[in-house]
Amino acid sequence: ADGWDPVVASVADMEAVMHQAFAATVNSYHEEDQTIIRVERDLVRFVYINLRTSRQSGATTMIQCQFAHGERALQICSLQVSESLRRLGIDRELVAGVELLAKSLEIELVKVHPLSRSRQFWESVGYASETGSTLLEKRLLDLPDASNA
């Protein structure tokens, strides 16, 4: 099947794909979790907010990303997990959800510019720098897509 084309697909289609990816990876997923999608010219920005863990901790648990129309790369802009929920694997589940979503959209590369204190986390989930820069990347060619999860 052809990949999701952000130029012609609806926000509702994107939302359905997002929920499918996060339902497959996030243990605390709930169908009422929030997704926010904004299309700005050639850029698609999206946020997934895990409501159950956000309510539990009193702080937002979320991941925010963006990608440009026609490009095969996605950038993770922000990953937020409350201090009280760290070391429970929620951060890894959110990243896995984004990777599964990206794969479903036929995006081949995920990038992140981590803070220095979070670089070890990103490296532990398979992100690396080819050039020694602060930009970390992960190729998704070998990951299953959401339909196979």
Side-chain angles (χ1 to χ4, degrees):
D2 288 333
W4 182 77
D5 183 353
V7 176
V8 297
S10 71
V11 169
D13 292 341
M14 173 74 176
E15 190 170 346
V17 173
M18 283 180 69
H19 276 281
Q20 184 179 11
F22 287 105
T25 61
V26 178
N27 287 328
S28 58
Y29 171 84
H30 189 275
E31 62 188 28
E32 293 178 6
D33 285 354
Q34 290 182 328
T35 54
I36 301 167
I37 302 165
R38 290 201 176 100
V39 180
E40 303 167 0
R41 293 186 179 224
D42 293 337
L43 197 63
V44 178
R45 299 175 190 268
F46 64 90
V47 178
Y48 166 78
I49 301 172
N50 185 286
L51 292 179
R52 185 175 298 158
T53 56
S54 294
R55 287 184 189 124
Q56 254 182 332
S57 67
T60 303
T61 299
M62 59 157 276
I63 192 161
Q64 179 180 0
C65 305
Q66 66 184 30
F67 63 95
H69 294 303
E71 289 191 14
R72 297 288 180 222
L74 177 145
Q75 180 179 350
I76 297 174
C77 303
S78 177
L79 172 62
Q80 297 177 19
V81 177
S82 171
E83 192 79 39
S84 65
L85 296 173
R86 293 190 184 154
R87 305 234 179 257
L88 299 176
I90 295 167
D91 48 2
R92 292 174 184 277
E93 293 173 0
L94 293 172
V95 171
V98 165
E99 292 172 355
L100 193 57
L101 172 63
K103 185 73 171 173
S104 298
L105 301 176
E106 296 185 1
I107 291 173
E108 300 168 359
L109 182 68
V110 178
K111 302 176 183 183
V112 64
H113 284 279
L115 299 172
S116 58
R117 68 178 184 251
S118 65
R119 187 176 179 96
Q120 185 176 357
F121 163 76
W122 289 103
E123 290 172 343
S124 76
V125 293
Y127 288 76
S129 173
E130 301 271 329
T131 63
S133 74
T134 59
L135 175 68
L136 299 180
E137 301 177 341
K138 184 175 185 178
R139 296 226 170 261
L140 302 179
L141 301 175
D142 299 326
L143 294 178
D145 62 26
S147 61
N148 296 330

